[in-house]
Amino acid sequence: AASERLGPRPTMRLPPTSVTAAKSPAGTIDERYLSFCVDLGMIAQPTRFWNPDGSGETVGERPPFDFSRPRLRRLCGALSPAYLRVGGTEADRVYYALEQRGSQPPPPAPAGYGTVVTGGQLIAMGEFAREAGLEISLTLNAGWGSRAGSAPRPDGSAGAWRPDQAVELMRFAEEHSIPISVYELGNEPNAWPLFHSPPLFVTPESYVADLAALAAVRDVEAPAARLSGPGTAFWPAIGEVPTLLLPSLLRRRLPRLASSFLPRLAAASAAAEAGGAPSPCRADILSWHYYPALSDRSPLARAHPATPPAA
């Protein structure tokens, strides 16, 4: 079993937490607040997802996610209204082959990309969402492929994000009535140096500039859609990714990581807008990925907290 292969998990002792209920509600959340996700690694081809036995990932061994299953549509329809988030790590590797409509496997992804999602798959996803009463939150590729041809920036970040594929995708969604109501720029940018090869590094300040570029495109191509970001990774006891001190990483040279991503992002957004930026420099929806627990498959599950519990 995976837990036996990885060995015993160290105990992580956290201070007790108490919660006191207010006498009156502090606010009202949207009825779609509790929603669910399909990982793009299960859709894009070749599929890339966790191996059930814990031995890394399976690549190309599983068929793409089938949105046409009647039972799945009925079950998800019972959960509506809700958002269907389509994203995950693979979102920053995927190429949108919108002209591909048939059931045949698409050609290999262009240089800079790792997998391909076809126009036919996106149409099927849209039909599924409409029938189930769902709105789609789609994570756009902000990885290496989307930055091809852009020169590195003065702060050491990778080149600027290019909106070419995003524009085509937004027009395609409009043409085929795919109910994408939220676009998210990339997945866990504070962890990009660990998950992409070569390490992809973008500072929070440069991410704000990329977000402004996406806002300008959205305002023209999909003005009713909202923007989400940055979707950073966060652990309650150890904070953001740069605070992790994993023995397996310490034995080799760490890639450059951006610390305090969310606070710096907020400060950069405010500064850009105060300076008269032509497009909004902040997301409509603030997103982060909260990991209160981890699967035995993850090497992070074996990490001791490197710092006191994060506020």
Side-chain angles (χ1 to χ4, degrees), residues 85 88-89 92 139 184-196 200 207 230-235 241 261 287-291 300:
R85 178 178 182 261
T89 303
D92 292 314
T139 304
E184 182 177 43
L185 183 60
N187 180 78
E188 299 182 354
N190 61 330
W192 280 343
L194 301 178
F195 298 145
H196 295 274
L200 173 61
Y207 182 90
T232 50
F234 184 87
W235 285 263
V241 171
F261 203 97
S287 63
W288 71 94
H289 299 165
Y290 180 70
Y291 292 95
L300 299 180

Side-chain angles (χ1 to χ4, degrees), residues 3-26:
S3 59
E4 295 174 352
R5 183 178 60 81
L6 291 173
R9 183 186 302 179
T11 301
M12 188 179 291
R13 299 186 180 278
L14 302 178
T17 301
S18 61
V19 178
T20 302
K23 293 183 179 179
S24 59

Side-chain angles (χ1 to χ4, degrees), residues 135-297:
E135 295 181 45
I136 297 172
S137 173
L138 180 68
T139 304
L140 292 169
N141 186 338
W144 280 117
S146 69
R147 301 173 188 276
S150 295
R153 288 178 275 198
D155 65 358
S157 293
W161 177 78
R162 299 171 64 93
D164 310 55
Q165 277 238 291
V167 169
E168 294 179 9
L169 179 63
M170 290 178 181
R171 292 175 179 174
F172 187 86
E174 174 68 21
E175 178 184 355
H176 296 280
S177 302
I178 301 172
I180 303 174
S181 62
V182 179
Y183 288 98
E184 182 177 43
L185 183 60
N187 180 78
E188 299 182 354
N190 61 330
W192 280 343
L194 301 178
F195 298 145
H196 295 274
S197 181
L200 173 61
F201 176 74
V202 175
T203 64
E205 294 76 16
S206 286
Y207 182 90
V208 167
D210 294 340
L211 192 60
L214 173 57
V217 167
R218 182 275 313 268
D219 291 346
V220 174
E221 304 295 342
R226 290 182 289 177
L227 303 185
S228 176
T232 50
F234 184 87
W235 285 263
I238 50 183
E240 292 185 349
V241 171
T243 67
L244 301 178
L245 295 178
L246 303 181
S248 61
L249 290 178
L250 287 176
R251 285 193 290 267
R252 55 191 172 95
R253 185 178 179 182
L254 284 168
R256 184 181 179 188
L257 293 163
S259 60
S260 304
F261 203 97
L262 281 175
R264 288 170 59 186
L265 178 77
S269 296
E273 292 181 353
S279 298
C281 295
R282 66 181 68 233
D284 303 304
I285 302 169
L286 176 66
S287 63
W288 71 94
H289 299 165
Y290 180 70
Y291 292 95
L294 288 168
S295 166
D296 287 338
R297 292 185 293 261

Side-chain angles (χ1 to χ4, degrees), residues 11-130:
T11 301
M12 188 179 291
R13 299 186 180 278
L14 302 178
T17 301
S18 61
V19 178
T20 302
K23 293 183 179 179
S24 59
T28 302
I29 61 173
D30 191 285
E31 59 182 351
R32 297 161 296 183
Y33 178 77
L34 186 61
S35 295
F36 46 92
C37 175
V38 174
D39 197 287
L40 257 170
M42 302 175 69
I43 302 172
Q45 302 175 71
T47 56
R48 182 194 304 268
F49 207 59
W50 300 323
N51 195 328
D53 68 8
S55 57
E57 297 177 317
T58 62
V59 180
E61 297 180 16
R62 302 183 183 189
F65 192 88
D66 182 6
F67 283 105
S68 68
R69 289 170 284 176
R71 184 168 182 265
L72 180 65
R73 293 192 179 196
R74 291 195 303 270
L75 291 172
C76 289
L79 300 175
S80 66
Y83 287 108
L84 170 64
R85 178 178 182 261
V86 180
T89 303
E90 200 61 33
D92 292 314
R93 303 183 183 120
V94 72
Y95 177 80
Y96 314 124
L98 303 179
E99 71 286 353
Q100 297 285 326
R101 306 292 175 86
S103 58
Q104 295 298 317
Y113 299 87
T115 51
V116 174
V117 64
T118 69
Q121 289 179 297
L122 292 171
I123 291 172
M125 180 179 72
E127 292 173 348
F128 170 83
R130 289 197 307 272

